[in-house]
Amino acid sequence: MKIYINGKFCEKENAKVSVFDHGLLYGDGVFEGIRSYNRRVFKLKEHIDRLFESAQSIILKIPMSKEQIIKATIDTLKANKLDNAYIRLIVTRGEGDLGLDVGKCYKGATIIIIADRIALYPEKLYREGLTIVTVPTVRNLPEALNPQIKSLNYLNNILAKIEASNAGYDEAIMLDSLGYVAECTGDNIFVVKDGHLYTPPQCMGTLRGITRDSILEIARKNKVGAHEHVITRHEVYISDECFLTGTAAEIIPVVKVDGRIIGNGKPGKLTLSLTKKFKELTLKDGVKY
Ligand code: PXG
């Protein structure tokens, strides 16, 4: 496996960054998770735009243009001869002295691109559906660390994931500080009620997921009512269908929430038809390499 680090490719065993990198010391940096299907990178522009927005928000200068990052991503896919891949793009504040002052990172940002395969959940869960549980850890407050920033500090989500696992569930529902449903630990959440689709708006605790936006677009194109609306736990419990979306997870059905069976306890009809349409889109859309 060839890993891209600051303009050079190295083998996995040699792909190392300094212990003084502020990405490690402080979680100071940003990232994207991107997928390619059949030699096409899905929503590449959207991911690169979001990477630069995350960087802008934390005043991190990426020492490459968007076009250069896109080329480096494609080069990494080609170097690894991967037709279908999960791409992890990481930009850290870089190597520096100890201390929070970003001025100590005298070498500039570290840019890493990994292209590999990924299976976020076992295959069985895509067929049978996930069980999810509301956890005590609430999603980061936007006025503290805005969830729109895909920062290298994922402790908020990791704690929620641990709580879900400890409770014997596959995934966690994280609430925002007002008690509304925000998202899961690495996925957005959707519910279906009376043929309409609902997902939380991007304010408060919800990342504006790129898969989420694709699903909203597919639904609207197919004349399904698709709404970005605050959702309470009650509305999840009484939904006809529920599913999660994310680049890594793609679309995965949910069949049990906080002990309540959703619908008939099986992946829902609209969930399955949106999954099919999403798969079709991934095969014909995207930047060819
Ligand atoms: N919410 C959060 C908190 C995420 O991190 C999503 C939703 C889905 O967004 P997209 O744009 O992918 O549809 C994410 C996605 C990884 C990794 O290790 C990345 C994510 C989730 C889980 C793992 O690269 N990000």
Side-chain angles (χ1 to χ4, degrees), residues 21 24 40 45 52 96-97 228 252 256:
D21 193 294
L24 174 71
R40 284 176 187 273
K45 181 183 182 302
F52 275 76
D97 296 331
E228 293 168 75
I252 186 154
K256 191 172 157 191

Side-chain angles (χ1 to χ4, degrees), residues 35 37 86 118-131 161 170-171 186-187 211 242-255 265-268 271-272 275 278-279:
R35 255 189 203 269
Y37 298 89
Y86 185 74
I118 191 178
L120 201 66
Y121 301 107
E123 185 50 42
K124 183 172 175 272
L125 293 181
Y126 286 87
R127 271 181 279 115
E128 296 177 6
L130 288 179
T131 64
K161 186 85 188 179
D170 300 316
E171 187 46 79
D187 311 309
T211 320
C242 178
F243 62 87
L244 313 183
T245 64
T247 300
E250 301 174 290
I251 297 153
I252 186 154
V254 171
V255 292
K266 297 207 169 77
T271 306
L272 295 176
T275 304
F278 176 76
K279 283 203 173 133

